[in-house]
Amino acid sequence: MLNNKRPLVLVVAGLDSGGGAGITADCITIHENGGFAMPCTTALTAQSLKQVASVVPTDDALFKKSLSLVSEDYENKVSAVKVGLVSAQSTLDILLDALENELKDAAVIWDPVLTATAGELKSADLKANLDRILKRCTIFTPNLPEALELASWTMEDFEQKGVKELSRFFLDKGLDTIIIKGGHNQAQSTAKDYFANGSLEFFMESDKKEGDGAHGGGCALSSALAALVAQGYESFDAAVLAKGYVYSGIVNTAIDEHRYRAPVGHNGFVSSLDLLPRVYEDGFPVSDTAFAPCPMRMGLYPVVDDASWVERLIALGVKTIQLRIKDKNRADLYDQIVRAVNLGKAYKARVFIDDHYELAIKAGAYGVHLGMEDLKEADIAKIRDSGLRLGVSTHGMYELLKAVSLKPSYIALGHIYPTNSKVMPSKPQGVSRLAYMAKLMDNVIPTVAIGGIKKEMLDDVLGTNVGSVAVITAITKADDPNIEAQLWLKLVGSGGDNV
């Protein structure tokens, strides 16, 4: 698909004469992930898949001029900077000065290259300049040996204190986000990376491919992050997508015929859920057993705040509906739930109860809907064992993968457009991201689009092949809710009686 609205991504790295890593891999990766790469070379290297034979830093004057000219031809500013190999101290000084001044508004993704996997490679003294580097970084992506070296930790320190404490060493210096890559640990059967920022910590895990992996994976990860962050992805959403991109390139390398480590493949946005990482967040439940299923297509899905709306809308033909009563102290809360559940049974409709899963179980409801924070406190096993369907809310790729680990009955994808229904901590996902997530979930777990959706947007939303469309105020706030409901049913469908 034509994409001429790409954000500018500056690439500051060395040139790999073998083509598998360095600035070549960076530029390909950025293009594959929706950015426009602008290479600014720090060094020329003579290297192969087996070794780095020689490194010659770029002339200081040339490097400085390259940085100053980087966006002169474009109206838009550089959105992100990916930094890889910086071999000379003078190059590092020039770069940091630019990042603190003319490039101060750009996101910075820094992949600290201290040594090569094979061969001789000299780096500028990143450790001596670490405080200055981290204060300007958006995402820092060392592998575990690099993180230990930069923190002056031994492996014994790591075994005693752990990866969380190691990450805090960097975050306490002003860093926004760190991803500590664990793929270099040959003793593990999985490649497990650790993500941390001031408010979120989680592991990303992918199976290891037999053999020595792929050349250029670290370059591809940081460059994919830069391209995705430049497009407005949150760092945690960019992280899971970038890891999936690299894993796809390890499974399907660029060239099959090689004598040593194959160069990482560049296969575009990951198109299969199997290539994306498994994610694990402390306190968030996972499930080995799937919840009771829902139809893949549930049609129009109104969210209402009173059982009288349930009665009114399912009498008009609505077959999927949610009762959302936020006031836990409402005197008639259980009566409302019982009434809604009984109406659903009478009309063969799928009635979900928001939040109040204990009361929903007691009333014999069809299903319950929970948000991400509610899931941490809920008795997931009790919900599953009761036979209730479970719907969950998500707000981007990271939460989608968290939801997948629960094997729920459906996943709500939102919010798609700006909405006034409640204050949202996340940005609107938009139709293109909705389409991507719906495609990943096709015939895996039913999906529901929610958030700011109006009739004039339906063609775009339904064109994503999402399984259902939820509305909160579009019907209940209409001048004539009955006519409005019938219009929406005609456009979206009801999903039928199949429960």
Side-chain angles (χ1 to χ4, degrees), residues 202-216:
F202 63 90
F203 287 97
M204 303 181 287
E205 182 181 65
S206 299
D207 295 329
K208 280 190 176 179
K209 181 183 177 182
E210 185 176 349
D212 296 326
H215 179 55

Side-chain angles (χ1 to χ4, degrees), residues 5 8 15 22 25 44 85 88 97 107 140 195 218 230 270-271 318-319 354 363 379 412 426:
K5 301 293 184 181
L8 304 181
L15 178 63
L44 299 178
L85 170 65
D97 183 67
F140 197 57
F195 175 103
V270 174
S271 59
V318 169
K319 291 296 183 181
D354 184 59
D379 188 339
S426 57

Side-chain angles (χ1 to χ4, degrees), residues 115-137:
T115 61
T117 303
E120 188 68 26
L121 187 152
K122 293 182 180 180
S123 168
D125 192 351
L126 301 186
K127 184 186 288 190
N129 294 271
L130 191 60
D131 287 7
R132 192 176 173 192
I133 290 170
L134 295 179
K135 287 176 182 176
R136 188 58 193 86
C137 266

Side-chain angles (χ1 to χ4, degrees), residues 138-204:
T138 308
I139 307 177
F140 197 57
T141 64
N143 59 37
L144 181 56
E146 290 164 342
L148 294 176
E149 172 63 25
L150 291 168
S152 298
W153 277 34
T154 64
M155 183 54 72
E156 288 75 18
D157 292 330
F158 179 73
E159 290 171 351
Q160 290 177 5
K161 300 177 184 179
V163 70
K164 294 183 180 180
E165 191 66 29
L166 178 58
S167 72
R168 290 192 192 101
F169 170 85
F170 296 94
L171 295 173
D172 288 347
K173 291 180 176 293
L175 175 64
D176 183 79
T177 298
I178 187 166
I179 299 174
I180 299 177
K181 300 172 292 188
H184 282 66
N185 189 341
Q186 298 298 322
Q188 294 181 344
S189 61
T190 60
K192 186 180 289 187
D193 302 338
Y194 182 72
F195 175 103
N197 59 24
S199 58
L200 177 64
E201 301 174 351
F202 63 90
F203 287 97
M204 303 181 287

Side-chain angles (χ1 to χ4, degrees), residues 253-320:
T253 54
I255 299 175
D256 288 335
E257 295 181 5
H258 54 85
R259 295 177 180 173
Y260 303 104
R261 296 171 71 231
V264 68
H266 299 281
N267 307 311
F269 250 50
V270 174
S271 59
S272 169
L273 189 63
D274 293 337
L275 293 172
L276 288 163
R278 300 177 291 275
V279 297
Y280 304 98
E281 178 186 323
D282 283 351
F284 190 84
V286 297
S287 177
D288 293 328
T289 305
F291 282 78
C294 291
M296 291 302 296
R297 298 191 173 278
M298 295 190 290
L300 179 63
Y301 187 166
V303 178
V304 299
D305 60 4
D306 194 278
S308 60
W309 278 111
V310 175
E311 182 172 19
R312 183 173 180 176
L313 294 179
I314 63 176
L316 293 170
V318 169
K319 291 296 183 181
T320 308

